[in-house]
Amino acid sequence: MTEQPTAPDGPLEGAVQREDGLRDIAILLLAAFEALGAEHEALKAEEQEATAAERRGTVRRMIQCVTDASRTLVCSTDELAKAYGLREFGINRQMAKGADGYDYSPLLAIGDPDEALYETVTYVEAAVQRLREAYKQTKKYPTLAVARRPQEMRDVLSSLRGALTGLSAELVARHPAEDAGQLDPCIASLSELETRTCGVVPAQASGPTADAVTAAILADPDIARAAAAALERAGTGIR
């Protein structure tokens, strides 16, 4: 039986970690892409029901922006898959060889994982921009600039934040001086967009404690009688 080679510590171990990072980014981009479907569906339904032409036009513009964002997320995932595959195959601008064994530059090189990674970033930034345009307020219908499916849109925006954070780490690992903080404004804009368009989920009231209910029953005969009647109804199945 042939022994399987053991991966040494050092650079190879770091490469594996980077590949894991790309997989995590891909999962986040896919999650954002999938979650956009519910919002697009809701906007399409609203377009059909809108009676005012200008309102319908605003919703139609939002639909187009969400559609464009979805398409660019498809492109970003494709580019990320290319970057991952090139790394996995160990291809990094491989060149043809001349008779002497040296690189032969007149022919094209094969694959550049870093270039594919930068293309991924460009597409994700474009998707964020289109979402920002989708929910840009208009003078006549400012209230339309909100998510129709806020929970799904929170998932979209948080997934994009995570993907951009991962991409930022990938870029900084290659060019710390050039790429540090490059994606911070885009990441911050996603948080602002979520706050503005998805609203805040109100906290559920915890209600009175058991001790507070007991004290109220003991302090007020009317409450005690009402509680006794409610328990009796519950026990007999009467509504």
Side-chain angles (χ1 to χ4, degrees):
M1 180 181 295
T2 304
E3 289 188 11
Q4 295 297 320
T6 302
D9 294 334
L12 181 59
E13 184 179 7
V16 172
Q17 290 174 351
R18 289 198 298 273
E19 289 164 6
D20 288 342
L22 293 189
R23 282 198 292 266
D24 292 340
I25 295 166
I27 290 170
L28 290 165
L29 291 177
L30 180 59
F33 169 75
E34 290 182 339
L36 266 182
E39 180 73 1
H40 189 274
E41 184 179 41
L43 286 167
K44 290 288 289 183
E46 184 174 331
E47 179 193 13
Q48 297 299 318
E49 296 171 359
T51 55
E54 190 171 346
R55 181 186 180 95
R56 188 166 54 251
T58 298
V59 175
R60 188 175 295 125
R61 174 187 59 78
M62 297 175 73
I63 292 170
Q64 187 58 55
C65 288
V66 171
T67 301
D68 291 344
S70 175
R71 288 173 179 165
T72 54
L73 285 178
V74 171
C75 294
S76 71
T77 306
D78 288 345
E79 287 296 323
L80 187 67
K82 184 192 298 184
Y84 178 87
L86 289 170
R87 283 190 192 175
E88 186 73 14
F89 289 134
I91 297 173
N92 189 354
R93 295 191 56 80
Q94 305 301 121
M95 300 186 70
K97 303 298 180 181
D100 58 4
Y102 290 102
D103 290 342
Y104 186 70
S105 59
L107 298 181
L108 293 175
I110 298 179
D112 186 339
D114 285 355
E115 182 178 320
L117 192 66
Y118 278 105
E119 285 295 316
T120 302
V121 171
T122 298
Y123 280 123
V124 177
E125 287 181 312
V128 172
Q129 179 59 30
R130 292 303 279 162
L131 289 176
R132 292 177 63 188
E133 292 170 1
Y135 299 98
K136 184 178 180 180
Q137 290 183 327
T138 63
K139 291 182 179 180
K140 190 164 186 179
Y141 296 110
T143 58
L144 290 181
V146 295
R148 274 55 174 179
R149 301 282 302 189
Q151 183 55 59
E152 284 84 352
M153 283 305 296
R154 286 190 194 96
D155 292 341
V156 170
L157 300 175
S158 64
S159 295
L160 288 176
R161 277 199 305 271
L164 284 168
T165 300
L167 287 168
S168 178
E170 288 285 335
L171 297 183
V172 171
R174 284 155 180 73
H175 306 289
E178 298 175 17
D179 294 327
Q182 174 186 331
L183 298 180
D184 289 353
C186 192
I187 294 171
S189 74
L190 285 167
S191 297
E192 183 276 330
L193 188 61
E194 179 179 348
T195 300
R196 182 168 58 81
T197 62
C198 298
V200 178
V201 178
Q204 296 294 323
S206 59
T209 64
D211 289 342
V213 172
T214 300
I217 291 173
L218 294 175
D220 192 327
D222 291 335
I223 294 178
R225 284 191 291 270
L231 290 172
E232 185 177 357
R233 287 196 299 274
T236 58
I238 299 175
R239 296 283 182 250

